[in-house]
Amino acid sequence: MTSLDTCNVALFLLVLVSWLHFTVDARKLVESGETEQPLLFKYHNGPLLSGKISVNLIWYGNFKHPQRAIVSDFIASVASSKPTVAQPSVATWWKATEKYYQLTKKPSSLSLSLGSQILDENYSLGKSLTNQQIVELASKGGQKNAINVVLTSADVAVDGFCSSRCGTHGSALGRSSNGHSKFAYIWVGNSETQCPGQCAWPFHQPIYGPQNPPLVAPNNDVGLDGMVINIANLLAGTVTNPFGNGYYQGPKEAPLEAASACPGIYGKGAYPGYAGDLPVDATTGASYNAHGVNGRKYLLPALFDPSTSNCATLA
């Protein structure tokens, strides 16, 4: 099993004075937008996810129905082609991942859809989970042509949560006749009470670094809007580097992927501690950069454009 930690923790680390966890090239890209020393994304010849893929949601712990709807509407928005959705849309943001497929020697297409939702409201494995238990939960979802997303509630502790990561993506052996098939999974935790300054920035002030006022969350839920950022980050990383041998830059153990290569960037003009110039909802005062289904608004991370070696934003 391989496991790749989300770099949304990097969104928090971005505002640290030391900048210890970023490469010189990534820092230059964030601060100036210059491409003289661009990030050199490499394709490691492994498979990307392709075909029709269902995104199954496994809810672990206490989530209210409106909270689940924020995430399920986001997944539905990724694949939405409804002309009624205002622009820029979540689907437009997701379309940027197609460039990774176009650059492979054998390009293929990918179509995501919202799959099944599994509720584990009784904390079947307790309120303190290991990495192996995350995989156990992920295996409850369908494993063929699927990404299983485990979402843990605010009162659940997970190994490494807050201290080194806000979520992770990886792959594990699934149930099959030959026992050798793999399925992709994602885990993201609700950081609302444990570490919002790390995993829900810019909707909460960071623990360290510039103390700019936090942005208003577009769905009025700091924890869940923060989770959407992490899910988006990891979803892009999952499809372009599902098994640890797809697209990434840097060491395999700590790779920069499609979204994690652009830490802290949400709109044009972003710099350390500032998310960028973003639209603001006139009614709620919430900041966002993408429209979704059912009138939703979301804030989504910039995606690295492998054709230009730049971080592309919607706003």
Side-chain angles (χ1 to χ4, degrees), residues 5 69 78 84 89 94 109 111 118 134 144 148 162 209 227 258 277:
D5 291 344
V78 168
T84 55
S89 67
W94 182 251
S109 61
S111 175
I118 299 171
I134 291 296
K144 184 177 181 181
N148 293 334
C162 295
M227 290 184 83
D277 300 328

Side-chain angles (χ1 to χ4, degrees), residues 224-242:
L224 268 292
D225 278 298
M227 290 184 83
V228 168
I229 290 175
N230 287 305
I231 294 167
N233 184 318
L234 291 164
L235 196 61
T238 295
V239 302
T240 57
N241 188 29

Side-chain angles (χ1 to χ4, degrees), residues 156-227:
V156 175
V158 178
D159 281 354
F161 187 33
C162 295
S163 63
S164 63
R165 59 184 182 169
C166 303
T168 193
H169 83 81
S171 62
L173 290 176
R175 302 180 298 268
S176 66
S177 58
N178 58 24
H180 296 299
S181 66
K182 287 185 176 182
F183 70 93
Y185 71 88
I186 291 170
W187 158 71
V188 172
N190 184 346
S191 67
E192 180 181 11
T193 58
Q194 297 186 52
C195 56
Q198 290 168 269
C199 297
W201 186 85
F203 303 128
H204 190 282
Q205 284 185 297
I207 298 175
Y208 304 104
Q211 297 296 301
N212 294 323
L215 304 182
V216 176
N219 294 285
N220 197 35
D221 191 313
V222 169
L224 268 292
D225 278 298
M227 290 184 83

Side-chain angles (χ1 to χ4, degrees), residues 17 27 31 56 80 82 84 87 120 141 162 184 194 205 239 272 288-289 303 314:
V17 175
R27 184 165 62 248
E31 293 179 345
N56 303 312
S80 176
K82 293 181 179 180
T84 55
Q87 294 296 324
D120 188 338
C162 295
Q194 297 186 52
Q205 284 185 297
V239 302
Y288 67 98
N289 59 9
L303 291 180
L314 286 174

Side-chain angles (χ1 to χ4, degrees), residues 126-130 152-159 161 187 194:
K127 292 188 176 182
S128 182
L129 304 179
T130 64
T152 52
S153 60
D155 56 349
V156 175
V158 178
D159 281 354
F161 187 33
W187 158 71
Q194 297 186 52

Side-chain angles (χ1 to χ4, degrees), residues 252-266:
K252 184 176 182 179
E253 296 75 21
L256 291 176
E257 298 178 325
S260 62
C262 302
I265 303 176
Y266 297 93

